[in-house]
Amino acid sequence: MGTLLKCYKPLFPLRFIPIPNSVRTSRLPTHHSHAIFSNSKVCGGRCFSSVKQSQPLIDEKNSGGEGVENRRAELWLYNTMSRQKEVFKPKVDGRVGMYVCGVTAYDLSHIGHARVYVSFDVLYRYLRHLEYEVNYVRNFTDVDDKIIARANELGEDPINLSRRYCQEFHVDMTYLHCLPPSVEPCVSDHMPQIIDMIKQIIDNDCAYRVEGDVYFSVDKFPEYGRLSGRKVEDNRAGERVAVDSRKKNPADFALWKAAKKGEPFWDSPWGPGRPGWHIECSAMSAAYLGYSFDIHGGGMDLVFPHHENEIAQSCAACKQSNISYWIHNGFVTIDSEKMSKSLGNFFTIRQVIDIYHPLALRLFLIGTHYRSPINYSDVQLESASDRVFYIYQTLHDCQNAMDQDDMTKKDSVPPHILDCINKFYNDFLTSMSDDLHTPVVLAALSDPLKTINDLLHTRKGKKQELRLESLAALEKVIRDVLTILGLMPASYSEALLQLREKALKRSKLTEDQILQKIEERTMARKNKEYEKSDAIRKDLAAVGIALMDSPDGTTWRPAIPLALQEQVAAT
C-alpha cells in the first residue's frame, strides 16, 4: 500500500462540545486529561484518559479481614466478528481504546438510542472497575442528509441545528447517568482528517472519482462482508443513498459527495462537497485511537452497512488496521418491530422520563441482556419503577437506622453476613465478566436487600449481634454495585421523592387528594364501613397507589397498577 495515514494531528484547533459538569458522578470520577503513548503496530497515535483505580468493593474493615479481593476478572465479551464469546485481552496491558458510534443529531433521541449508550456505559464502568484505563471515544454525526433536510424544514443552519441537538443529547445522557466519554468529536471539526483518509484510499487504488463524487470499490477489498456474513452480490447499494448507475459495483459506497445547492460543503481535491456517512467514523477513530484498537461498538443495525464499510475503508487506508472486538447491542422493539424514527414507532427519552424516573428507564434497559431484543411496554416500565423504589427504600431505611445510632461500631460482621456479601459480590463479578450479564446481577440483589429488611424489621433481626455493622457492610456492597451499574442516585431520599412525583403524575392525582382518600378510608374503618374502606384502597391501587397500614398510621407508595399486575404475573 501507499503512504499510511500520518499521526492524525488536527490541522486546526478542535472544538469539542462541552460536557456538562452535572453529568459527572461524585462516586465514580472521570478525568479528561490524556496521556499519549505510541504503539509501533498502529498507524496513528493513541491517547488514553488517566483514571483513578477503583477501590475494592469489600474492604477488610467491613469484613473482619476476610474481604473479597478486587482482582481483575477474566472478562468474556461476544465478538460479532467471530460470532462467539472471547476472553478480553487489550492490545496494551491495562489500557483500553473503545469507539462507539454516536447519534446523528437532528432530533431528540429515542429509547433505542438510550439502550445503545446505557449498554456501553455499563461496559465502560465495568472496565474501569477492573482497573483498566479507558479512552472512550463517541462521535456526533453533524453532517448528514437527515440533518440537512430537517434544517431546511426549520429554516435553520444545519450545523447549528445539529449542535443544538447534541446538547439535548447530553441532557438525556445526564438523566440516564451515562458517564461522559473521554472525547466526543464532531464530523464538521474533522474534515482535514476525513479528506486525508480518502486521499490514501484513492492512492491505494481502492476508490475512484466520478464527477466530483468519490466511491469506495468493494471489489478491491476481498474480505468485504466478513463482519456481517453477507456476500457482495447479495448487498444492497448502500444505506442513506440512492442507487447510482455510475458505480462500478452496486455495493460501492460514497466516501465524498459533490456539493449540491443549499447544502453545506467543504473544499477538497475532488471539488466542494461533504463526506459520506461511513468515512467519518474511520477517520475519527483513527484520529483518537489509531488504526488498531480494542473495542468498536454500536447498535446491531450498524453491523451492515456501516461497520462493514468502516472495516473496508480503514483497511484500505492502513494495512495494519485491526479492531479486536466488535460489540453490538440488540434492538428495542414495540410489538416485535424495531423502534426507529424512520418507522415512526418510537418514544423519545424525554417522553418516557416525563412520567417515569430516569433510573427506572435505565434499570429497564439493563434488565435484559444487552445483545437480546427488549420489548418496550408500560408493564415493563412499571415493573422497573417498582423495583428501583424497593431498592432505594430499603437502602434509605438502612441509612436511617445507621444514622440514628451513634454507638461505636466494631470492625467485623457475623460470618453469615460476610457469606451473603461475598456470594453477592462473586455473583456480580461472575455475571458481569460473562459478557455483561446485568439481569443476573439485578436478580442477585434480592438476597442482600432481603437480609437488610430482616435486620431492620423482624424481631430476630433487631436482636442480631453486630446488627449495625452488618447493615453498613451490606449497604456498602450494594451501593458499590449500583454505582458500577449506573443506578446509584445522588441520595436515596431524593430518588424516592422523585419516584413518588412520577407516580402521582401517572395516576393523575395530587398528594393532597391521596391524603384525603386516606382520611376517608380511616374514618370508614373507624365506622366499620369495611366495604367502603376496601373500595378506596382498590381505587387507588388501580392507578398505581398502594396504601401501607402500620401502628403509626397509613402511608402510600407507588405500585404497579392492578390491571398491569395481572400482566406481570402472566409473564
Side-chain angles (χ1 to χ4, degrees), residues 75-103:
L75 173 62
W76 290 74
L77 294 172
Y78 184 87
N79 190 346
T80 305
M81 182 65 80
S82 66
R83 293 163 181 76
Q84 64 184 7
K85 284 190 283 189
E86 299 176 4
V87 177
F88 178 69
K89 294 180 180 178
K91 294 179 183 294
V92 178
D93 187 44
R95 295 176 173 180
V96 177
M98 179 168 75
Y99 187 95
V100 175
C101 292
V103 293

Side-chain angles (χ1 to χ4, degrees), residues 8-65:
Y8 248 103
K9 292 181 180 177
L11 301 182
F12 53 88
L14 297 182
R15 302 193 315 272
F16 297 125
I17 291 188
I19 298 168
N21 288 332
S22 58
V23 79
R24 296 175 172 83
T25 63
S26 59
R27 296 181 184 274
L28 192 58
T30 52
H31 302 265
H32 294 276
S33 58
H34 298 89
I36 307 295
F37 70 100
S38 63
N39 183 333
S40 60
K41 294 184 179 180
V42 301
C43 298
R46 293 164 148 229
C47 64
F48 288 84
S49 57
S50 174
V51 181
K52 290 182 179 178
Q53 293 185 345
S54 56
Q55 296 300 313
L57 285 179
I58 313 300
D59 60 31
E60 292 189 357
K61 284 187 177 180
N62 282 335
S63 65

Side-chain angles (χ1 to χ4, degrees), residues 237-255:
E239 189 85 357
R240 303 190 184 187
V241 292
V243 174
D244 190 335
S245 60
R246 301 174 303 163
K247 296 179 181 180
K248 295 179 179 180
N249 184 315
D252 292 350
F253 54 91
L255 299 176

Side-chain angles (χ1 to χ4, degrees), residues 98-300:
M98 179 168 75
Y99 187 95
V100 175
C101 292
V103 293
T104 301
Y106 68 97
D107 202 347
L108 293 174
S109 297
H110 57 65
I111 60 173
H113 297 127
R115 190 178 195 199
V116 177
Y117 304 114
V118 166
S119 295
F120 285 97
D121 181 66
V122 170
L123 174 57
Y124 181 35
R125 288 169 177 267
Y126 191 59
L127 288 168
R128 289 173 52 157
H129 170 67
L130 297 180
E131 300 183 352
Y132 288 107
E133 295 181 18
V134 185
N135 188 27
Y136 176 17
V137 182
R138 185 182 68 205
N139 75 295
F140 279 115
T141 296
D142 62 346
V143 180
D144 183 81
D145 292 342
K146 293 181 180 180
I147 296 169
I148 294 167
R150 183 70 187 277
N152 289 340
E153 284 177 23
L154 301 175
E156 191 172 345
D157 175 74
I159 300 297
N160 289 340
L161 176 135
S162 187
R163 291 297 169 100
R164 178 159 56 83
Y165 281 113
C166 289
Q167 295 290 359
E168 296 293 349
F169 174 82
H170 278 140
V171 172
D172 290 338
M173 294 301 100
T174 302
Y175 279 127
L176 291 173
H177 280 205
C178 290
L179 297 174
S182 311
V183 188
E184 290 190 281
C186 294
V187 175
S188 61
D189 288 333
H190 291 75
M191 289 302 164
Q193 291 89 342
I194 291 170
I195 291 169
D196 194 14
M197 179 175 273
I198 295 172
K199 284 180 184 177
Q200 289 180 75
I201 296 172
I202 293 173
D203 290 347
N204 292 335
D205 195 31
C206 292
Y208 55 94
R209 300 168 58 174
V210 181
E211 300 170 4
D213 294 329
V214 179
Y215 288 101
F216 185 91
S217 177
V218 297
D219 292 329
K220 296 295 180 73
F221 186 65
E223 293 188 350
Y224 190 80
R226 190 158 64 97
L227 180 69
S228 61
R230 291 170 176 261
K231 296 179 180 178
V232 173
E233 56 268 26
D234 296 335
N235 291 337
R236 58 185 184 275
E239 189 85 357
R240 303 190 184 187
V241 292
V243 174
D244 190 335
S245 60
R246 301 174 303 163
K247 296 179 181 180
K248 295 179 179 180
N249 184 315
D252 292 350
F253 54 91
L255 299 176
W256 188 261
K257 299 179 180 182
K260 295 178 183 177
K261 186 178 180 180
E263 294 185 354
F265 64 87
W266 287 259
D267 290 330
S268 80
W270 320 287
R274 57 188 173 89
W277 173 33
H278 313 294
I279 192 68
E280 64 186 62
C281 289
S282 288
M284 289 189 288
S285 63
Y288 295 98
L289 299 172
Y291 275 99
S292 181
F293 58 93
D294 301 299
I295 296 171
H296 198 316
M300 202 169 288

